[in-house]
Amino acid sequence: QKQLYVKGRPDRLKALAELGFYVSGGNDDLKWLEVVHAAAVYSQMNRNLDVPTKFVVPAPPRRVLDCDLHNAPEEGKSSCIVGSDDAWPWPEYLWGFPLGQRLRDIRVKGYYLRGKQADVRKRQLDALGFIWEPKRGRRRQSEK
C-alpha cells in the first residue's frame, strides 16, 4: 500500500521529487544513510566502531555563561552568552539516534545487510572499523 499514490503514475513521482522528497530506494536506504553517517562520526571520534548497545547520539550540552536577566550587563560583558553548536560533531538530525542498538541489530539480526546493497554496506562498515564479533561479557565501567 505504500506505493498506491505513485504506482503507475510517473507524473506524481516527478512532482514529489521536485518538492524534495526522496522517492527512489525506499525508507531502508534513508535509514541506512542515518546509520552509516552516525557510525562514521562515532568512528572518527573513537577510532573504532565498538559502540555500546545503549549508546544514543547526544545533543550538544547547553552552556549559559555570564547571564543575568534582571540586571543590565556590566561594561565589556554580554548580558547572556550561550554556547554554540557549531563545533558539535553530531548533526542535529542524528540527535537521539540509537546508534548502539542499530549496530547491534546489524551484527545480531543482519538488518540492512540483505539484498543488492549488502556487500557495499558490509564494506562501508569494515572501512569504519566495525566490530563484527565484540568481546563477550559486560563492559567495565571505564569502557562505557
Side-chain angles (χ1 to χ4, degrees), residues 79-132:
S79 60
C80 197
I81 301 169
V82 179
S84 169
D85 297 341
D86 293 343
W88 194 246
W90 300 99
E92 186 173 357
Y93 84 95
L94 289 175
W95 298 349
F97 183 75
L99 179 62
Q101 184 61 50
R102 289 294 191 283
L103 294 178
R104 181 184 183 284
D105 289 343
I106 289 169
R107 186 181 296 114
V108 174
K109 301 175 185 175
Y111 283 10
Y112 306 107
L113 300 179
R114 297 181 185 99
K116 297 177 197 173
Q117 298 295 321
D119 289 336
V120 172
R121 291 175 177 179
K122 286 177 187 175
R123 286 194 302 270
Q124 286 176 317
L125 290 171
D126 285 339
L128 294 171
F130 187 65
I131 308 293
W132 291 98

